[in-house]
């Protein structure tokens, strides 16, 4: 175990000190692009202006023969693009792959000061984060990087879910965790073939009303990801880092995508991935509080004064705990409104 007093010391001579708090920045969508795909790469400056986070993906979905081109493509794009206040992230290859060492070495030494967060796939325990933590410190020192890089883990193996609490607290670099439903389904041997979302076979059925077991029994589809997302949210909240829903692979089904994103939002996630431009506005809509929720939150906070006692508003009891929920809503609304003039006007904060 690490000396708790040394938790915030750099892990290499010459590396910047780690942050003591994850800086909250709007993070409603992490937009994925393949830097080796010329068409996608050409759209980066325009897309970066519309999203909270843009991520160059080097791992799955990039062909083996394009791994190097993707890495170098990202370096080139990062050097020539002004991202404004949009965060630039990268998803490196997995820690057991032949590419990850070169990914980290090249990216940190070439564009370390432009990158905000390194997303690490298939994290299985604190040992994976410790490895990345020390290596990043060495590379930051070598590349004279001024701002410490943060780390985001993807939860996509059964062992990773089992160890999610220790992953969340493994390093002061930990920024957040995303659900990786496709690899996780394979790792768990789930009998699905999808990238996130529900499944029509995963349901509960209304009790029979008579002898006929087939007639008149409504079925309700259940959420396959509820348990994992709830566990991930608790692990993140307990360690002051940020939970994200991951990808929704049925690009055409914009309706179910919105539902899945909203479930994650209600459970505490701050954002989701967008794999295709059509998913950007869905995430923006879902992960920005509604005008009605913000108005309600303002009413409750004003009525509650110092937060003590109980009041009745529109037939509902409000007290310290509901007031705290309203403060969470208002804090998020204010943070988003600071960057987004449309939301500022909508919320009238
Ligand atoms: C799904 C695909 C193949 C459909 O790509 P397409 O070209 O067939 O679609 P389209 O509708 O025809 O595209 C329209 C236009 O948008 C462009 N476009 C399309 N997508 C993007 C994008 N993301 N960013 C920027 N531009 C994009 C595309 O190039 C095209 O441009 P054009 O009009 O000039 O011809 C494509 O959208 C894509 O490759 N998206 C990213 C996929 C990806 O990153 N997958 C990995 C993350 S999910 C994952 O890894 C799982 C996980 C966590 O690990 C685990 O659960 O285990
Ligand atoms: Mg995966």
């Amino acid at each position: 175990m690490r000396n708790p007093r040394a938790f915030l010391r750099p892990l290499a001579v010459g590396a910047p000190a780690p942050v003591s708090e994850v800086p909250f920045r709007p993070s409603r969508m992490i937009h994925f692009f393949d830097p080796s795909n010329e068409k996608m790469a050409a759209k980066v400056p325009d897309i970066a202006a519309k999203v909270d986070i843009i991520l160059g993906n080097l791992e799955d979905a990039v062909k083996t023969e394009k791994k190097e081109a993707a890495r170098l493509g990202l370096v080139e794009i990062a050097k020539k693009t002004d991202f404004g206040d949009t965060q630039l992230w990268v998803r490196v290859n997995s820690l057991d792959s032949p590419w990850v060492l070169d990914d980290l070495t090249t990216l940190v030494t070439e564009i370390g000061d432009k990158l905000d967060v390194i997303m690490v796939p298939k994290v299985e325990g604190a040992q994976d984060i410790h490895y990345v933590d020390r290596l990043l410190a060495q590379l930051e020192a070598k590349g004279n990087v001024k701002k410490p890089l943060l780390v985001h883990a993807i939860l996509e193996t059964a062992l990773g879910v089992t160890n999610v609490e220790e992953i969340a607290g493994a390093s002061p670099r930990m920024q957040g965790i995303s659900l990786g439903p496709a690899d996780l389904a394979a790792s768990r041997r789930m009998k699905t073939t999808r990238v996130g979302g529900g499944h029509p076979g995963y349901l509960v059925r209304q009790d029979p009303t008579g002898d006929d077991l087939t007639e008149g029994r409504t079925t309700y589809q259940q959420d396959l990801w509820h348990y994992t997302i709830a566990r991930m949210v608790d692990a993140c909240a307990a360690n002051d880092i940020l939970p994200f829903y991951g990808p929704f692979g049925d690009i055409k089904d914009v309706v179910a995508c919105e539902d899945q994103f909203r479930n994650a939002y209600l459970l505490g996630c701050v954002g989701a991935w967008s794999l295709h431009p059509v998913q950007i506005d869905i995430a923006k809509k879902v992960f920005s509080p509604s005008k009605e929720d913000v108005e309600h939150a303002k009413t409750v906070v004003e009525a509650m004064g110092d937060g003590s006692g109980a009041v009745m508003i529109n037939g509902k009891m409000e007290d310290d705990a509901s007031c705290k929920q309203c403060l969470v809503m208002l804090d998020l609304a204010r943070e988003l409104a600071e960057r987004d003039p449309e939301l500022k006007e909508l919320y009238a904060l």
Side-chain angles (χ1 to χ4, degrees):
M1 203 187 88
R2 227 168 129 182
N3 168 2
R5 291 182 203 282
F7 197 63
L8 291 174
R9 283 184 211 148
L11 287 175
V13 175
V19 290
S20 59
E21 259 179 58
V22 174
F24 183 85
R25 292 166 70 184
S27 304
R28 294 164 293 182
M29 74 298 289
I30 306 172
H31 183 76
F32 270 57
F33 75 98
D34 172 354
S36 74
N37 177 322
E38 280 172 18
K39 262 205 217 161
M40 276 193 204
K43 293 189 169 65
V44 165
D46 283 349
I47 290 193
K50 291 187 204 137
V51 299
D52 295 336
I53 300 164
I54 187 140
L55 177 145
N57 176 35
L58 309 186
E59 201 225 9
D60 296 353
V62 175
K63 280 186 157 301
T64 305
E65 61 271 23
K66 294 278 195 83
K67 291 289 185 187
E68 225 157 289
R71 185 192 301 139
L72 299 178
L74 181 59
V75 170
E76 200 188 311
I77 291 166
K79 282 188 174 168
K80 70 175 189 214
T81 310
D82 177 3
F83 293 95
D85 50 10
T86 298
Q87 299 178 53
L88 175 66
W89 293 22
V90 59
R91 177 169 80 168
V92 294
N93 285 287
S94 62
L95 298 178
D96 60 354
S97 74
W99 305 290
V100 65
L101 188 58
D102 288 340
D103 289 346
L104 290 170
T105 307
T106 304
L107 295 172
V108 178
T109 54
E110 292 278 336
I111 53 166
D113 276 321
K114 277 224 143 170
L115 281 171
D116 293 288
V117 175
I118 311 261
M119 180 183 275
V120 183
K122 304 178 177 79
V123 172
E124 303 225 282
Q127 70 281 4
D128 290 338
I129 302 299
H130 293 161
Y131 168 78
V132 172
D133 201 3
R134 179 78 75 173
L135 181 58
L136 285 180
Q138 293 167 341
L139 293 170
E140 285 168 342
K142 186 179 157 87
N144 199 20
V145 176
K146 299 281 173 265
K147 169 174 72 100
L149 285 155
L150 300 180
V151 169
H152 183 101
I154 317 180
L155 209 53
E156 47 186 352
T157 67
L159 187 56
V161 176
T162 303
N163 293 329
V164 64
E165 290 84 8
E166 65 166 49
I167 292 169
S171 157
R173 287 187 199 274
M174 281 301 298
Q175 176 274 349
I177 302 182
S178 285
L179 172 74
D183 269 299
L184 181 55
S187 165
R188 284 177 171 160
R189 301 191 190 93
M190 287 166 66
K191 305 304 178 291
T192 54
T193 54
R194 303 170 171 210
V195 178
H199 193 289
Y202 193 68
L203 49 81
V204 292
R205 187 181 301 270
Q206 196 182 357
D207 279 359
T209 46
D211 291 339
D212 188 341
L213 298 182
T214 56
E215 276 304 301
R217 298 176 67 185
T218 310
T219 58
Y220 303 89
Q221 202 172 314
Q222 304 292 295
D223 184 359
L224 284 168
W225 305 108
H226 177 81
Y227 156 77
T228 316
I229 293 177
R231 226 183 129 181
M232 176 180 77
V233 167
D234 279 344
C236 287
N239 285 280
D240 285 340
I241 66 170
L242 307 174
F244 291 71
Y245 180 74
F248 188 86
D250 193 345
I251 309 284
K252 273 207 219 80
D253 193 350
V254 290
V255 176
C257 176
E258 182 170 332
D259 293 336
Q260 185 77 67
F261 284 6
R262 185 162 290 107
N263 288 349
Y265 167 72
L266 288 169
L267 278 180
C269 290
V270 297
W273 299 10
S274 58
L275 301 185
H276 186 281
V278 78
Q279 295 182 331
I280 294 172
D281 282 340
I282 302 174
K284 195 177 255 184
K285 173 179 167 197
V286 170
F287 290 97
S288 306
S290 69
K291 180 181 164 69
E292 294 71 33
D293 278 346
V294 173
E295 275 169 4
H296 174 75
K298 265 197 281 188
T299 308
V300 172
V301 168
E302 274 160 26
M304 284 298 297
D306 71 355
S308 63
V311 294
M312 180 88 122
I313 298 177
N314 297 330
K316 294 190 177 68
M317 187 280 293
E318 307 287 348
D319 68 356
D320 179 60
S322 60
C323 186
K324 277 185 192 143
Q325 294 173 62
C326 291
L327 288 171
V328 168
M329 190 76 78
L330 286 180
D331 280 352
L332 175 60
R334 281 199 191 95
E335 274 153 354
L336 296 178
E338 245 175 58
R339 191 180 168 208
D340 185 332
E342 265 175 47
L343 287 181
K344 196 178 171 86
E345 202 185 322
L346 184 74
Y347 298 153
L349 285 167

